[in-house]
Amino acid sequence: QSWQGSADEERRFGLEMQQPYSEFVLIGQKSIESRAYPLPEALIDAKIEILQSEKGLDGVSSVPDRVTLHRSRDNNSSTQSPLKRIGWVTFTKCILYTSREEFEADREKHLVDPNSGYGWNDERPMYGWVVGSYHKQDVVDVDEGSVDAVAVRRMRSLFEIITT
């Protein structure tokens, strides 16, 4: 599955991340996001919203391919979204790990337990998305992130965010 992203600055994208790792990125504790696929080139240095999902099975998304994102202050919504917009991140580069030793040497940066489903696997490539800047959204933030939107899966955990 290959997708190049979009260099169009009008389009916005989000990355589904399970908690607590989504929080760890936004407080600076996790400086590399590990994935089994590369970050699309067009998304390097782009602002990507963090779409937090609940902790689930390792490597398995519990989120449908199209999700309504409700206003951040709308706690009375009759349907809760499986994703919460909690901030944004930029990634400055994408690195390919070529060995278990190289991947595990960065454990303090990516925080992946070697025994988890996200640990090194000889059967698939491993990439590290290096965190650049980040911002954790406060509940009092009032910006374009507080309007209703739809998140549409474009590739694996990457969604396009379309304002409704």
Side-chain angles (χ1 to χ4, degrees), residues 6 48 64 91 93 107 127 141-142:
S6 172
I48 300 170
F91 297 103
K93 66 180 177 176
R107 183 170 180 204
Y127 295 88
D141 277 358
V142 178

Side-chain angles (χ1 to χ4, degrees), residues 25-36:
V25 166
L26 296 177
I27 63 172
Q29 187 175 345
K30 181 175 169 71
S31 60
I32 293 178
E33 173 59 13
S34 61
R35 295 283 164 157

Side-chain angles (χ1 to χ4, degrees), residues 10-13 49 66-69 71 85 143-152 160-164:
E10 296 297 312
R11 295 174 72 186
R12 295 187 335 204
F13 296 93
E49 290 193 43
R66 184 179 181 91
V67 176
T68 298
L69 302 172
R71 298 176 196 278
R85 299 159 104 174
D143 62 9
E144 61 188 330
S146 65
V147 300
D148 280 348
V150 174
V152 180
E160 183 172 359
I161 299 170
I162 302 164
T163 302
T164 56

Side-chain angles (χ1 to χ4, degrees), residues 15-163:
L15 176 65
E16 174 193 350
M17 292 184 71
Q18 291 183 359
Q19 61 173 298
Y21 300 100
S22 51
E23 297 279 347
F24 294 161
V25 166
L26 296 177
I27 63 172
Q29 187 175 345
K30 181 175 169 71
S31 60
I32 293 178
E33 173 59 13
S34 61
R35 295 283 164 157
Y37 56 96
L39 178 67
E41 187 76 26
L43 296 183
I44 291 178
D45 292 322
K47 189 183 284 187
I48 300 170
E49 290 193 43
I50 298 294
L51 304 174
Q52 181 176 275
S53 61
E54 296 296 320
K55 175 79 175 119
L57 297 175
D58 289 353
V60 179
S61 175
S62 61
V63 176
D65 290 343
R66 184 179 181 91
V67 176
T68 298
L69 302 172
H70 300 291
R71 298 176 196 278
S72 59
R73 292 177 180 217
D74 184 6
N75 296 324
N76 299 321
S77 175
S78 59
T79 57
Q80 284 295 92
S81 175
L83 295 174
K84 291 183 203 165
R85 299 159 104 174
I86 64 166
W88 58 262
V89 65
T90 63
F91 297 103
T92 59
K93 66 180 177 176
C94 180
I95 56 177
L96 171 63
Y97 289 105
T98 58
S99 69
R100 176 186 305 270
E101 295 74 25
E102 186 181 14
F103 180 73
E104 291 180 2
D106 274 350
R107 183 170 180 204
E108 294 297 314
K109 296 176 182 173
H110 57 62
L111 306 178
V112 174
D113 180 337
N115 299 315
S116 78
Y118 297 114
W120 179 265
N121 181 332
D122 291 327
E123 304 300 314
R124 68 173 193 271
M126 290 296 294
Y127 295 88
W129 302 2
V130 179
V131 173
S133 53
Y134 52 88
H135 172 75
K136 185 171 182 346
Q137 180 173 315
D138 294 325
V139 291
V140 296
D141 277 358
V142 178
D143 62 9
E144 61 188 330
S146 65
V147 300
D148 280 348
V150 174
V152 180
R153 189 181 306 272
R154 293 295 181 216
M155 183 182 90
R156 300 195 183 187
S157 294
L158 288 166
F159 288 78
E160 183 172 359
I161 299 170
I162 302 164
T163 302

